[in-house]
Amino acid sequence: MWWRRLKSRRTDFSLRTPEPTGTARHVAMSRERLQRYFEALGEIVLSPNFHDQPCKIWNMDETGMTLAHKPSKVLTKKGAKSIHSKTSTSREMITVIACGNAAGEYLPPHFVFPGKTRRKLDGYDIESTMERSSSIKGANFSVSDSGWTKNGIAKLWFT
């Protein structure tokens, strides 16, 4: 009730879910640090090496993805007490590395699966997945003990 009244008076407000941020990262995000970072970045971008050359400005990021699906919303009667959706109990994660530049070019993605040897990749049926999906054409695959990017995997993929 109070939210609807506030929302009708203040249309510039919205109810949002905050992005979870770890304590160390949250502490590091001070206004002064961010200002210094963007000043230093501005100097680099405006330097003669990069000025008017967006193909030289690259960004790489990685994200962890669970192999268990997240159930979507379902339609149910109001007042229903428990709504269930069957999911896997697996907590196994894979890492996806993506990289693109300011000119709009990108590298094919790199997938890192948990495992000790490349034989572990056979269980994921990668070949047939690549045949069915043009969005991962040229993708690279590797394994690491934890499934995370480490031991130079990102550097090997990028070079």
Side-chain angles (χ1 to χ4, degrees), residues 4 14 24 29 48 56 60 62 89 114 119 153 156:
R4 279 185 283 159
S14 68
M29 289 192 309
K56 289 186 174 182
M60 184 274 273
E62 65 179 344
T89 57
R119 286 187 53 210
I153 289 174
L156 285 172

Side-chain angles (χ1 to χ4, degrees), residues 1 8 17 30 42 45 52 54-56 60 65 73 82 95 100 108 110 115 126 129-130:
M1 181 79 158
S8 68
T17 302
S30 70
V45 170
D52 294 332
C55 61
K56 289 186 174 182
M60 184 274 273
M65 299 172 62
K73 291 185 178 184
S82 58
T95 299
H110 186 89
I126 291 168
T129 302
M130 287 183 67

Side-chain angles (χ1 to χ4, degrees), residues 27-100:
V27 170
M29 289 192 309
S30 70
R31 184 176 301 272
E32 296 79 24
R33 282 186 183 197
L34 287 174
Q35 186 174 357
R36 284 196 315 261
Y37 170 78
F38 283 107
E39 285 171 359
L41 180 62
E43 288 176 17
I44 292 169
V45 170
L46 295 175
S47 72
N49 293 337
F50 291 108
H51 187 66
D52 294 332
Q53 296 185 50
C55 61
K56 289 186 174 182
I57 302 172
W58 288 84
N59 186 35
M60 184 274 273
D61 198 7
E62 65 179 344
T63 187
M65 299 172 62
T66 180
L67 296 178
H69 80 283
K70 179 180 177 185
S72 59
K73 291 185 178 184
V74 295
L75 182 63
T76 184
K77 279 189 159 189
K78 282 189 173 183
K81 297 293 181 204
S82 58
I83 310 301
H84 298 278
S85 178
K86 186 176 179 181
T87 62
S88 170
T89 57
S90 171
R91 297 187 61 164
E92 193 170 33
M93 302 273 285
I94 62 169
T95 299
V96 180
I97 307 171
C99 184

Side-chain angles (χ1 to χ4, degrees), residues 123-142:
Y124 293 102
D125 197 20
I126 291 168
E127 285 79 24
S128 67
T129 302
M130 287 183 67
E131 288 172 10
R132 291 189 313 258
S133 174
S134 62
S135 61
I136 60 170
K137 203 152 214 63
N140 298 295
F141 301 89
S142 64

Side-chain angles (χ1 to χ4, degrees), residues 138-154:
N140 298 295
F141 301 89
S142 64
V143 293
S144 76
D145 290 345
S146 63
W148 299 341
T149 306
K150 62 180 194 177
N151 299 332
I153 289 174

